[in-house]
C-alpha cells in the first residue's frame, strides 16, 4: 500500500501532493514502483496535528479518488469521518481505512455495513492532539489485541460482516518507542483473531532509535523496508509505506528466497 497524503501538513510528505494533478501523478509513480493499492488521506494524523473539517478533507480527496478510479487504480480512503467514507465509496474507492477503528465517528460502522467495502480497523485511543499521553499499558501486546477484539465485536454488532474486516495494530498511535517495537515483535499475537492484519511503520518516530542522531526522515525508509519484510514473513496482509520502490524491492527479495526454498 503506497501512501498518498493530500494534505499541507502530513508527518513526512506533507504539502508535496496537495494539488489533484500532483497527487494523481504521484499515485501513478507509486503504482509503477510496485504499489498494489494507493491509500489516499486528506487529514493528517501526525502527532499533535489539529483536525480539519470534513468538507476540507473531502475537497482534497474526492477529486483524486475519482480520477484514480477512472484510471483503474485500486485505492483506500484514510479517514476518520463516516461522511467522507461514504462519499469516497460513491467515488469508487475500494477500501475504507479508519485509523480509529470506528471510535472517532459513531456513524462509521453503519457506512461500512451499508457499502459492504473492506474496512481496515486500526488500534487507536485518541486524536493526534492527545494520543501520546495515552501510551500506558500493563501488557501492551495483550491490551492492543483485546482492544481490537472489542472493536471487532462492536462493528459486527452494528452489521459489519467479519469478512469485511482487516486489523491494524496502530504502530505509532498512543504507543511509545518500546511499545511499538514490542507490538511489532509479536504480530503473531493477532493470529487468534483470525483476520488479515496490515502494518504501518513507514517513517515513524520509533525508527529514529536505530539511526544516527542526525538522520533525516527519509533515512527511515531502510528500516521501513526491513520491517516490511519481517511483517510479510509474519503473515501480514499489507504494509503501508511512503517509499514504495524500496519496500517493493525488499519484498521481491523475500519472495525470491521463498520461491528458491520451495523449489529446493
Ligand atoms: N499511519 C498513518 C496514517 N494512516 N493507516 C493505517 N491503517 N495504519 C497506519 O499505521 C497509519 C494509517 C500515519 O502516517 P503518515 O502521517 O506518515 O501517513
Amino acid at each position: 500500500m503506497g501512501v498518498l497524503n493530500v494534505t499541507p501538513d502530513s508527518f513526512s510528505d506533507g504539502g508535496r501532493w496537495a494539488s489533484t494533478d500532483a497527487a494523481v501523478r504521484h499515485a501513478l509513480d507509486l503504482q509503477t514502483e510496485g504499489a498494489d493499492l494507493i491509500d489516499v488521506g486528506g487529514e493528517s494524523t501526525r502527532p499533535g496535528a489539529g483536525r480539519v473539517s470534513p468538507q476540507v478533507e473531502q475537497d482534497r480527496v474526492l477529486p483524486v479518488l475519482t480520477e484514480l478510479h477512472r484510471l483503474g487504480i485500486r485505492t483506500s480512503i484514510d479517514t476518520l469521518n463516516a461522511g467522507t467514507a461514504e462519499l469516497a465509496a460513491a467515488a469508487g474507492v475500494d477500501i475504507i481505512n479508519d485509523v480509529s477503528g470506528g471510535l472517532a465517528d459513531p456513524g462509521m460502522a453503519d457506512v461500512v455495513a451499508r457499502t459492504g467495502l473492506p474496512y481496515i480497523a486500526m488500534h487507536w485511543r485518541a486524536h493526534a492532539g492527545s494520543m501520546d499521553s495515552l501510551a500506558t499499558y500493563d501488557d501492551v501486546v495483550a491490551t492492543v489485541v483485546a482492544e481490537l477484539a472489542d472493536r471487532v465485536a462492536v462493528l459486527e454488532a452494528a452489521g459489519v460482516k467479519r469478512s469485511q474486516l482487516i486489523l491494524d495494530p496502530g504502530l505509532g498511535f498512543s504507543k511509545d518507542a518500546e511499545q511499538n517495537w514490542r507490538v511489532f515483535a509479536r504480530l503473531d499475537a493477532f493470529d487468534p483473531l483470525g483476520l488479515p492484519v496490515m502494518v504501518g511503520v513507514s517513517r515513524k518516530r520509533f525508527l529514529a532509535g536505530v539511526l544516527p542522531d542526525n538522520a533525516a526522515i527519509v533515512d527511515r525508509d531502510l528500516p521501513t523496508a526491513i520491517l516490511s519484510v519481517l511483517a510479510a514473513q509474519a503473515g501480514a496482509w499489507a504494509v503501508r509505506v511512503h517509499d514504495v520502490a524500496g519496500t517493493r524491492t525488499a519484498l521481491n527479495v523475500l519472495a525470491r528466497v521463498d520461491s528458491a526454498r520451495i523449489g529446493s
Side-chain angles (χ1 to χ4, degrees), residues 1 95-102 118-124 144-156 160-171 187 189-200 235-240:
M1 175 190 281
I95 297 177
I96 297 168
N97 174 26
D98 176 1
V99 300
S100 82
Y119 177 66
I120 299 165
M122 198 191 81
H123 177 259
W124 183 90
V144 170
V145 171
E147 290 181 7
L148 273 180
D150 281 351
R151 295 315 307 153
V152 171
V154 170
L155 290 161
E156 283 193 276
V160 177
K161 293 200 181 66
R162 209 175 164 78
S163 57
Q164 290 177 259
L165 292 173
I166 297 149
L167 303 179
D168 183 329
L171 297 170
L187 290 177
F190 297 86
D191 292 350
L193 299 181
L195 291 169
V197 172
M198 70 159 280
V199 179
W237 169 83
V239 288
R240 179 184 181 278

Side-chain angles (χ1 to χ4, degrees), residues 1 3-5 7 9-14 39 41 43-47 78-79 96-100 120-123 131 166-173 198-204 240-242:
M1 175 190 281
V3 178
L4 181 58
N5 286 319
T7 58
D9 62 344
S10 210
F11 158 58
S12 66
D13 57 355
D39 189 42
E43 178 179 13
S44 175
T45 52
R46 161 180 67 83
D78 187 346
T79 187
I96 297 168
N97 174 26
D98 176 1
V99 300
S100 82
I120 299 165
M122 198 191 81
H123 177 259
M131 67 176 175
I166 297 149
L167 303 179
D168 183 329
L171 297 170
F173 289 81
M198 70 159 280
V199 179
V201 299
S202 189
R203 298 184 180 173
K204 288 188 177 168
R240 179 184 181 278
V241 299
H242 302 84

